[in-house]
Amino acid sequence: MILEVIVDISSGSIDRCFDYEGEDMPLGSRVAVEFGKKQLIGFVIGKKQTSQYKELKKARFLDAPISSEQLELLYFLRKAYNLRYIDALRLFIPAKLRDEKDPEYSRKYLTADDSRTLEQLMEVVGTRAQKQMEALNYIAANSGQFLNVLIAKFGASAIGGLREKGVVVESLVHERTSPLGSIDRVDKRVTLTEAQRNAVDRIESGSGVFLLHGVTGSGKTEVYETVIEEELKKGKSAIMLVPEISLTPQVLGLFRARFGDSVAILHSGLNASERYDEWKRLKSGEARIAIGARSAIFAPLENIGVIIIDEEHDSSYQSENNPRYDTKRVAEFRARSAGAKLVLGSATPDMETYMRATEGKYQLISLPERISKFSLPEMEIVDMVSEFRSGNKGMFSVTLKEAIGEALGRGEQVMLFLNRRGFASFIRCRECGYIAKCEDCDISLTYHMSEHELKCHYCGKRYHEITKCPNCGSDRIKQGKIGTEKVVEELLTLFPKARVLRMDRDTTGRKDSYFKILGSFAAHEADILVGTQMIAKGHDFGNVTLVGILEADAALYFSDYRASERTFQLITQVAGRAGRADKKGRVILQTYAPRHYVFRYGKSYDYVGFFKKEINTRLVTKFPPYTKIVRILVASSDEQDAVDCTKTVYKAVQQIEKERGKFVYLGAARSPITRMNGLIRYQVMARITPEEFALVIGDIYSAVDGVRPKDGSIFVEINPQSMA
Ligand code: ADP
Ligand code: ZN
Ligand code: ZN
């Protein structure tokens, strides 16, 4: 039988298979092959009777890690996202299965045969075999070692010699270090409310895609868990995705308490063997629930009954690095082909998701009430322009200062939230609130310090830096961005006794420091937590009664068509942090644009009202979900090469447009970040209606595949989360 094999070479940019000879085996099988002079791993993706090549090498069957259902998903990924085989395959395989020819190798443990003395063993080995002698001494001195470590240290032939001579004893050590070992199991059984019961019933008796739209604290998690439980009873399995940042020890502990060993957790804190262990438990059916960040969508489960995506609006569900894919689309495909239900949950659904629900494509289930006896906290909006005019030049409004003082006086805690996104910043007038926007796109311009220019990230149009407000003539026009350090500084002068913690990218380089800061705040070791959007995600702090949002506008004027949507999501989420348990909460939101509709709807937590307004804006401005944005990013170390490649691609896309009908927008320009990692970046941007998109995307991929920068990269992004 001729096998068509994709060889796992990390560096190659080729996407082709090689013919090998081998026994008949299922597609997706993992094989050991000789490639050039190397022993490598490969995957069988096709079978045939004859080959045009002669004297084929042999492929040896190792195992079949990819099911036929997963293979279907793999073909979908290739087609929808133009992924290379190997990049798509790797999504399904734990790193361990790729790194090692034989994964059981690392479990084989060698000790010196203790029925004889070391002298006796040395005699058997003989002084002429020097390397073997060294290895034996090492093994004896260290009470043994893993086979793979020994081979790496002393070479395969020396270790092979010791094994042949029978001076070492082999045992299989299963070093399963439970990734959940240190997590508390706190089982918190509750009786479902009527709304929760109704949600569970609708999901259980139905099929297709559900949108669970529930305000923060409405008990969505309880609904997910009950649905999973019901599916398990039916003999099915389940996948639950959460944003990586929400995989806190508490959340994991709850799942562990409820589902015990039948849950496998895949998160970034696991090392390769832990990940492999969890993967194997899922593959063998020992664990039937996979919980994890976006990559858990590829979990090796069979007979899936439900896939749940919590916080479905979260941008982390879109993979922005190779392999690029949109987890929600992948989940939809997988659910459909497995006959499973898909549940998308959020307090602030993605515009596109909610639109589909209004169109009847998704089934909408609402949880409008909070579980706790306190309703959502009251949101107060403070106009920073009038604060500024009345002489308060600081970053805290009078209202917020007083509220912080009061909360601290009562021994309660405060969270101060500051939004900072991306690398650049918008320009704002502090006197009148004027914001510089693109004439063509009505999107805030981004200030590029190095070039002293303002740029529109959607059309590439450039504007001169402005030093005077075109609206009121004031020269108090500047970048509207402040940092967490400055907030802490000002805070400490106002409240010298307060214990302040800061959390942002700089203070949380490592994941455990993130948990450490949150843990210490939860233990009331600090009174005030100052942070970026990182602190907005679902953490429960019962003693927090005041939440202040300092830079509510920062997200609003971030140059992105989703700016309003993101702002609405952020303020809803942040506000949800106040008064979670038995104390009433208060939210103070400072803005230079108090009459902006985001705040009007945000204040009353009116998602539906906001949606109706915003979706209309998208329709008028022709942005998603009414169009799809396609960005082709070209990067090259040589500017001329980047320009040439961009021109070639642009012309090809223009040709596609000519054949298929006019796009909403098509243009080529330098990319907002012109230089990154030593490469010059250009881009072709297109906005296309969803119907046209389906027709042309294949052609666009082909066009892009035909162009290759000499030293750099080229790739296609669809509705990219960031325009940087
Ligand atoms: P969401 O995910 O919608 O923000 P959670 O699932 O975190 O809400 O629920 C909020 C709080 O209410 C949690 O502390 C949870 O344990 C509690 N809770 C959920 N359902 C119930 C219930 N039926 N009875 C009592 N408490 C509940
Ligand atoms: Zn002004
Ligand atoms: Zn523009």
Side-chain angles (χ1 to χ4, degrees):
M1 173 128 281
I2 310 294
L3 305 170
E4 293 176 300
V5 175
I6 293 290
V7 179
D8 191 0
I9 328 165
S10 48
S11 57
S13 63
I14 32 166
D15 188 34
R16 56 167 286 207
C17 45
F18 295 90
D19 287 357
Y20 281 90
E21 223 180 271
E23 61 189 283
D24 191 10
M25 59 182 85
L27 293 181
S29 289
R30 200 167 64 103
V31 288
V33 294
E34 201 176 301
F35 187 78
K37 285 209 154 47
K38 286 199 188 112
Q39 265 310 116
L40 290 175
I41 294 288
F43 298 91
V44 178
I45 54 133
K47 293 190 276 193
K48 56 190 180 187
Q49 291 307 328
T50 53
S51 170
Q52 62 180 109
Y53 303 102
K54 284 192 193 101
E55 290 174 34
L56 294 179
K57 288 181 182 149
K58 284 217 156 39
R60 183 167 58 85
F61 175 82
L62 293 173
D63 50 17
I66 302 174
S67 69
S68 54
E69 187 244 316
Q70 286 179 308
L71 272 178
E72 252 178 70
L73 191 55
L74 186 132
Y75 291 121
F76 165 77
L77 285 165
R78 261 179 74 73
K79 190 152 184 287
Y81 302 106
N82 203 33
L83 299 189
R84 294 189 303 154
Y85 266 117
I86 194 63
D87 292 326
L89 280 161
R90 285 172 186 171
L91 291 168
F92 295 91
I93 309 289
K96 221 161 168 123
L97 272 187
R98 296 182 28 228
D99 295 348
E100 295 171 347
K101 289 185 204 80
D102 181 357
E104 289 312 324
Y105 246 46
S106 61
R107 314 215 172 268
K108 269 190 189 146
Y109 199 81
L110 265 55
T111 44
D113 176 11
D114 62 4
S115 64
R116 288 171 281 179
T117 65
L118 182 59
E119 283 72 31
Q120 285 171 327
L121 296 178
M122 284 162 85
E123 222 162 277
V124 177
V125 171
T127 44
R128 282 185 31 218
Q130 222 181 36
K131 210 63 202 182
Q132 292 184 20
M133 216 47 143
E134 255 176 67
L136 178 64
N137 272 308
Y138 174 86
I139 293 170
N142 290 284
S143 347
Q145 184 50 275
F146 283 101
L147 180 55
N148 60 338
V149 178
L150 290 172
I151 290 179
K153 226 176 159 66
F154 300 101
S157 70
I159 302 304
L162 291 183
R163 294 166 84 186
E164 264 166 39
K165 289 173 183 165
V167 294
V168 287
V169 179
E170 289 169 29
S171 53
L172 272 180
V173 178
H174 192 68
E175 18 102 66
R176 176 168 153 67
T177 41
S178 167
L180 296 161
S182 60
I183 289 170
D184 291 341
R185 301 181 175 218
V186 265
D187 204 357
K188 202 163 100 180
R189 281 297 166 126
V190 296
T191 315
L192 294 188
T193 62
E194 211 179 299
Q196 286 172 321
R197 188 73 254 166
N198 170 55
V200 171
D201 289 347
R202 275 190 64 191
I203 295 168
E204 277 313 299
S205 61
S207 62
V209 184
F210 298 87
L211 168 58
L212 182 62
H213 177 212
V215 297
T216 49
S218 60
K220 294 187 287 297
T221 312
E222 198 60 41
V223 171
Y224 304 146
E225 291 182 7
T226 312
V227 167
I228 292 175
E229 215 160 45
E230 296 291 320
E231 291 297 325
L232 290 192
K233 275 190 211 148
K234 294 183 203 162
K236 304 263 185 178
S237 62
I239 297 177
M240 172 146 160
L241 306 182
V242 293
E244 177 74 44
I245 209 147
S246 315
L247 284 169
T248 62
Q250 293 103 295
V251 170
L252 301 184
L254 286 175
F255 274 96
R256 187 66 165 167
R258 183 127 176 192
F259 298 109
D261 276 337
S262 55
V263 56
I265 302 191
L266 306 159
H267 62 90
S268 63
L270 302 185
N271 65 32
S273 358
E274 289 168 338
R275 199 164 264 280
Y276 177 53
D277 273 328
E278 293 298 84
W279 184 89
K280 268 204 304 201
R281 294 202 309 119
L282 290 165
K283 179 82 185 159
S284 68
E286 188 189 330
R288 289 197 289 148
I289 310 165
I291 296 182
R294 67 170 179 244
S295 62
I297 192 62
F298 303 108
L301 282 167
E302 295 192 10
N303 206 7
I304 300 171
V306 67
I307 299 174
I308 293 165
I309 304 185
D310 188 26
E311 308 280 355
E312 66 88 30
H313 62 275
D314 196 273
S315 58
S316 71
Y317 288 123
Q318 192 159 341
S319 167
E320 302 267 79
N321 295 314
N322 185 38
R324 291 178 178 77
Y325 61 90
D326 179 352
T327 313
K328 268 185 277 179
R329 297 286 89 78
V330 176
E332 227 173 319
F333 181 88
R334 189 162 193 190
R336 200 174 332 115
S337 67
K341 307 173 226 289
L342 174 62
V343 180
L344 306 172
S346 175
T348 51
D350 181 77
M351 297 291 293
E352 183 161 1
T353 306
Y354 201 83
M355 186 163 98
R356 288 183 188 206
T358 60
E359 292 168 348
K361 289 177 187 151
Y362 295 169
Q363 299 155 70
L364 180 64
I365 304 176
S366 299
L367 294 176
E369 308 282 342
R370 267 194 156 185
I371 297 277
S372 109
K373 64 184 190 295
F374 290 106
S375 50
L376 289 159
E378 190 119 340
M379 220 185 283
E380 296 156 60
I381 295 178
V382 177
D383 180 356
M384 289 308 279
V385 172
S386 67
E387 280 290 316
F388 189 81
R389 283 192 189 146
S390 63
N392 179 7
K393 314 270 177 206
M395 57 180 87
F396 295 100
S397 61
V398 175
T399 315
L400 183 56
K401 267 188 281 197
E402 283 173 4
I404 295 174
E406 284 163 21
L408 296 181
R410 288 191 303 265
E412 293 165 357
Q413 285 169 289
V414 177
M415 282 171 98
L416 292 179
F417 174 81
L418 181 92
N419 183 56
R420 262 173 51 183
R421 266 188 86 100
F423 58 101
S425 162
F426 59 97
I427 296 287
R428 173 177 56 204
C429 170
R430 286 199 80 184
E431 294 287 351
C432 75
Y434 165 86
I435 298 287
K437 288 186 174 180
C438 176
E439 292 160 359
D440 296 337
C441 307
D442 197 35
I443 279 180
S444 312
L445 297 172
T446 299
Y447 178 59
H448 286 252
M449 197 147 22
S450 55
E451 287 134 315
H452 300 286
E453 267 180 353
L454 298 170
K455 279 190 202 171
C456 171
H457 284 186
Y458 284 89
C459 69
K461 199 161 175 166
R462 292 143 74 176
Y463 298 79
H464 284 299
E465 183 178 13
I466 41 176
T467 48
K468 256 194 174 32
C469 173
N471 189 40
C472 73
S474 161
D475 58 2
R476 301 294 302 245
I477 184 152
K478 58 174 200 170
Q479 288 189 59
K481 188 158 107 176
I482 50 173
T484 45
E485 297 99 323
K486 278 180 91 177
V487 175
V488 171
E489 221 178 272
E490 191 162 328
L491 209 49
L492 287 174
T493 59
L494 292 170
F495 306 98
K497 286 212 210 79
R499 296 166 301 165
V500 181
L501 268 178
R502 177 166 77 94
M503 174 134 95
D504 55 26
R505 284 268 149 77
D506 306 334
T507 57
T508 54
R510 297 187 46 194
K511 198 172 155 136
D512 36 322
S513 54
Y514 169 82
F515 288 133
K516 222 185 247 161
I517 294 173
L518 289 179
S520 131
F521 188 61
H524 204 161
E525 288 161 21
D527 307 303
I528 306 176
L529 176 61
V530 178
T532 55
Q533 54 262 41
M534 291 175 117
I535 62 172
K537 300 270 164 69
H539 309 287
D540 256 320
F541 301 108
N543 197 38
V544 172
T545 56
L546 174 65
V547 167
I549 307 177
L550 297 181
E551 280 281 286
D553 306 346
L556 194 55
Y557 299 124
F558 187 68
S559 64
D560 188 319
Y561 69 92
R562 278 160 302 209
S564 301
E565 181 181 5
R566 292 259 194 270
T567 306
F568 189 87
Q569 288 164 356
L570 284 169
I571 57 180
T572 309
Q573 216 139 46
V574 173
R577 302 303 116 216
R580 292 276 290 185
D582 52 354
K583 291 185 181 127
K584 183 128 184 71
R586 187 175 174 192
V587 179
I588 296 170
L589 188 153
Q590 301 188 161
T591 168
Y592 289 83
R595 277 163 298 279
H596 193 288
Y597 62 91
V598 164
F599 303 122
R600 212 171 63 234
Y601 292 114
K603 186 176 156 68
S604 48
Y605 300 93
D606 182 4
Y607 174 82
V608 178
F610 168 76
F611 172 82
K612 285 182 178 152
K613 168 91 185 149
E614 180 67 13
I615 201 76
N616 193 49
T617 308
R618 300 283 178 89
L619 179 65
V620 172
T621 52
K622 299 195 177 69
F623 273 104
Y626 293 100
T627 53
K628 294 239 184 211
I629 294 177
V630 176
R631 174 164 87 151
I632 304 162
L633 196 73
V634 180
S636 173
S637 58
D638 176 46
E639 172 129 31
Q640 194 51 49
D641 183 38
V643 171
D644 293 343
C645 289
T646 309
K647 271 189 188 153
T648 311
V649 170
Y650 179 68
K651 280 195 191 127
V653 177
Q654 240 179 352
Q655 187 58 34
I656 295 170
E657 185 187 28
K658 218 165 160 186
E659 287 161 15
R660 300 285 191 174
K662 188 125 188 62
F663 295 169
V664 174
Y665 172 85
L666 176 64
R670 290 169 88 165
S671 166
I673 296 187
T674 312
R675 221 172 253 280
M676 197 188 257
N677 301 327
L679 302 176
I680 316 279
R681 303 174 1 132
Y682 277 75
Q683 64 189 30
V684 175
M685 281 274 265
R687 290 218 300 276
I688 314 175
T689 62
E691 299 75 38
E692 271 179 318
F693 175 84
L695 292 175
V696 302
I697 186 65
D699 293 346
I700 292 180
Y701 282 144
S702 314
V704 170
D705 281 345
V707 179
R708 203 140 286 293
K710 282 184 212 116
D711 170 30
S713 64
I714 179 166
F715 55 83
V716 180
E717 291 178 311
I718 298 157
N719 290 350
Q721 292 291 337
S722 140
M723 289 303 304

Short mmCIF file of all heavy atoms in Angstrom, two decimals, residues 428-434 468-474 476-477, ligand 2:
data_model
loop_
_atom_site.label_atom_id
_atom_site.label_comp_id
_atom_site.label_asym_id
_atom_site.label_seq_id
_atom_site.Cartn_x
_atom_site.Cartn_y
_atom_site.Cartn_z
N ARG A 428 -6.93 63.74 21.94
CA ARG A 428 -8.14 64.33 22.48
C ARG A 428 -7.88 65.73 23.03
O ARG A 428 -6.81 66.02 23.55
CB ARG A 428 -8.67 63.46 23.61
CG ARG A 428 -9.86 64.08 24.34
CD ARG A 428 -10.41 63.19 25.40
NE ARG A 428 -9.39 62.80 26.34
CZ ARG A 428 -9.46 61.69 27.08
NH1 ARG A 428 -10.47 60.88 26.94
NH2 ARG A 428 -8.52 61.42 27.93
N CYS A 429 -8.89 66.58 22.90
CA CYS A 429 -8.81 67.91 23.50
C CYS A 429 -9.41 67.86 24.89
O CYS A 429 -10.54 67.45 25.08
CB CYS A 429 -9.58 68.92 22.64
SG CYS A 429 -9.78 70.52 23.45
N ARG A 430 -8.64 68.27 25.87
CA ARG A 430 -9.13 68.20 27.24
C ARG A 430 -10.14 69.30 27.55
O ARG A 430 -10.90 69.21 28.50
CB ARG A 430 -7.97 68.26 28.25
CG ARG A 430 -7.18 66.97 28.31
CD ARG A 430 -6.36 66.86 29.57
NE ARG A 430 -7.19 66.42 30.70
CZ ARG A 430 -6.74 66.31 31.95
NH1 ARG A 430 -5.50 66.64 32.24
NH2 ARG A 430 -7.53 65.91 32.91
N GLU A 431 -10.14 70.39 26.74
CA GLU A 431 -11.09 71.47 26.98
C GLU A 431 -12.49 71.11 26.52
O GLU A 431 -13.47 71.39 27.18
CB GLU A 431 -10.70 72.75 26.23
CG GLU A 431 -9.45 73.45 26.64
CD GLU A 431 -9.48 74.19 27.97
OE1 GLU A 431 -10.56 74.34 28.58
OE2 GLU A 431 -8.40 74.61 28.40
N CYS A 432 -12.59 70.52 25.31
CA CYS A 432 -13.92 70.32 24.75
C CYS A 432 -14.23 68.87 24.41
O CYS A 432 -15.34 68.54 24.02
CB CYS A 432 -14.12 71.19 23.50
SG CYS A 432 -13.26 70.59 22.03
N GLY A 433 -13.28 67.99 24.57
CA GLY A 433 -13.54 66.58 24.32
C GLY A 433 -13.41 66.17 22.86
O GLY A 433 -13.70 65.03 22.50
N TYR A 434 -12.94 67.09 22.01
CA TYR A 434 -12.79 66.79 20.59
C TYR A 434 -11.84 65.61 20.36
O TYR A 434 -10.82 65.48 21.03
CB TYR A 434 -12.26 68.02 19.85
CG TYR A 434 -11.73 67.73 18.45
CD1 TYR A 434 -12.59 67.71 17.36
CD2 TYR A 434 -10.37 67.47 18.25
CE1 TYR A 434 -12.11 67.42 16.10
CE2 TYR A 434 -9.88 67.18 16.99
CZ TYR A 434 -10.75 67.15 15.92
OH TYR A 434 -10.27 66.87 14.68
N LYS A 468 -3.26 72.28 17.96
CA LYS A 468 -4.36 73.12 18.43
C LYS A 468 -5.66 72.41 18.11
O LYS A 468 -5.80 71.79 17.06
CB LYS A 468 -4.33 74.47 17.69
CG LYS A 468 -3.79 75.60 18.54
CD LYS A 468 -4.11 76.93 17.90
CE LYS A 468 -3.72 78.12 18.77
NZ LYS A 468 -2.57 77.97 19.64
N CYS A 469 -6.63 72.50 19.01
CA CYS A 469 -7.91 71.84 18.78
C CYS A 469 -8.66 72.53 17.64
O CYS A 469 -8.92 73.73 17.72
CB CYS A 469 -8.75 71.87 20.05
SG CYS A 469 -10.41 71.26 19.80
N PRO A 470 -9.02 71.84 16.58
CA PRO A 470 -9.74 72.46 15.48
C PRO A 470 -11.15 72.89 15.88
O PRO A 470 -11.79 73.68 15.20
CB PRO A 470 -9.80 71.38 14.40
CG PRO A 470 -9.30 70.13 15.01
CD PRO A 470 -8.76 70.42 16.37
N ASN A 471 -11.61 72.39 17.00
CA ASN A 471 -12.97 72.68 17.45
C ASN A 471 -13.03 73.93 18.32
O ASN A 471 -13.85 74.81 18.11
CB ASN A 471 -13.50 71.46 18.21
CG ASN A 471 -14.97 71.58 18.53
OD1 ASN A 471 -15.75 72.06 17.71
ND2 ASN A 471 -15.34 71.17 19.73
N CYS A 472 -12.13 74.05 19.30
CA CYS A 472 -12.21 75.18 20.24
C CYS A 472 -10.92 76.00 20.30
O CYS A 472 -10.85 76.99 20.99
CB CYS A 472 -12.58 74.69 21.63
SG CYS A 472 -11.24 73.84 22.48
N GLY A 473 -9.90 75.58 19.59
CA GLY A 473 -8.66 76.35 19.55
C GLY A 473 -7.73 76.14 20.73
O GLY A 473 -6.63 76.68 20.76
N SER A 474 -8.11 75.32 21.68
CA SER A 474 -7.26 75.11 22.85
C SER A 474 -5.99 74.35 22.47
O SER A 474 -5.97 73.57 21.52
CB SER A 474 -8.03 74.30 23.90
OG SER A 474 -7.14 73.71 24.81
N ARG A 476 -4.59 72.46 24.74
CA ARG A 476 -4.57 71.32 25.66
C ARG A 476 -5.03 70.06 24.89
O ARG A 476 -5.94 69.36 25.30
CB ARG A 476 -5.49 71.55 26.86
CG ARG A 476 -5.12 72.78 27.69
CD ARG A 476 -3.77 72.61 28.36
NE ARG A 476 -3.76 71.45 29.23
CZ ARG A 476 -3.63 71.49 30.54
NH1 ARG A 476 -3.50 72.64 31.15
NH2 ARG A 476 -3.61 70.39 31.25
N ILE A 477 -4.41 69.85 23.77
CA ILE A 477 -4.79 68.70 22.96
C ILE A 477 -3.63 67.72 23.01
O ILE A 477 -2.49 68.07 22.75
CB ILE A 477 -5.18 69.12 21.52
CG1 ILE A 477 -5.66 67.92 20.72
CG2 ILE A 477 -4.04 69.83 20.79
CD1 ILE A 477 -6.65 68.28 19.63
ZN ZN B 2 -11.22 71.54 21.94
#
